[in-house]
Amino acid sequence: MDCWARGFCFLYFSMIFLFLYYMDVLFLINPMVRGWINYYGKFYPSELKKVLNYVEATLVRWAMGKYKKLRGRKWRASRCLGRVAKRAPLLMAHWRIGCVSAVG
């Protein structure tokens, strides 16, 4: 995964986003993720899974920081996002193609 993509994710998931609800965060980053899927899917498909896994892991870290019950509980945060993805798979572009956290 390119260094700029990691930096971009960090910028979008910084402390300022702890004050946003998950729907706001999803609508802000979804166009970027969709663009990464289009680019990496066409020009660098072997790297696409790494990029999407990193986005999903960053969402899990965001949820751990945002919600008090998920702090320090990576597995619980992953399951929580997995349940959201199972209920509404069209919210995020990478959930549409099957890159989802562990579903509980």
Side-chain angles (χ1 to χ4, degrees), residues 38-84:
N38 290 336
Y39 173 77
Y40 282 106
K42 183 167 186 155
F43 296 110
Y44 205 3
S46 62
E47 194 74 13
L48 179 62
K49 186 166 179 66
K50 293 178 192 175
V51 171
L52 297 182
N53 284 339
Y54 183 77
V55 170
E56 189 68 21
T58 308
L59 277 173
V60 169
R61 283 195 310 273
W62 170 80
M64 287 171 55
K66 170 69 177 169
Y67 298 104
K68 194 173 188 179
K69 287 186 177 185
L70 301 178
R71 288 200 180 128
R73 296 176 174 94
K74 194 176 203 179
W75 176 246
R76 189 178 287 181
S78 179
R79 283 182 44 206
C80 180
L81 278 177
R83 284 192 297 264
V84 170

Side-chain angles (χ1 to χ4, degrees):
M1 180 170 168
D2 292 341
C3 183
W4 64 268
R6 287 183 192 267
F8 212 62
C9 277
F10 179 76
L11 174 70
Y12 268 79
F13 290 106
S14 62
M15 294 299 284
I16 220 165
F17 279 87
L18 290 177
F19 300 109
L20 297 176
Y21 291 106
Y22 73 92
M23 291 297 289
D24 299 331
V25 171
L26 295 181
F27 287 128
L28 285 174
I29 68 165
N30 206 23
M32 286 183 294
V33 173
R34 204 173 23 236
W36 290 342
I37 289 172
N38 290 336
Y39 173 77
Y40 282 106
K42 183 167 186 155
F43 296 110
Y44 205 3
S46 62
E47 194 74 13
L48 179 62
K49 186 166 179 66
K50 293 178 192 175
V51 171
L52 297 182
N53 284 339
Y54 183 77
V55 170
E56 189 68 21
T58 308
L59 277 173
V60 169
R61 283 195 310 273
W62 170 80
M64 287 171 55
K66 170 69 177 169
Y67 298 104
K68 194 173 188 179
K69 287 186 177 185
L70 301 178
R71 288 200 180 128
R73 296 176 174 94
K74 194 176 203 179
W75 176 246
R76 189 178 287 181
S78 179
R79 283 182 44 206
C80 180
L81 278 177
R83 284 192 297 264
V84 170
K86 190 175 182 180
R87 278 195 313 257
L90 300 179
L91 281 179
M92 286 294 292
H94 68 287
W95 291 348
R96 291 178 193 155
I97 62 172
C99 184
V100 182
S101 293
V103 179

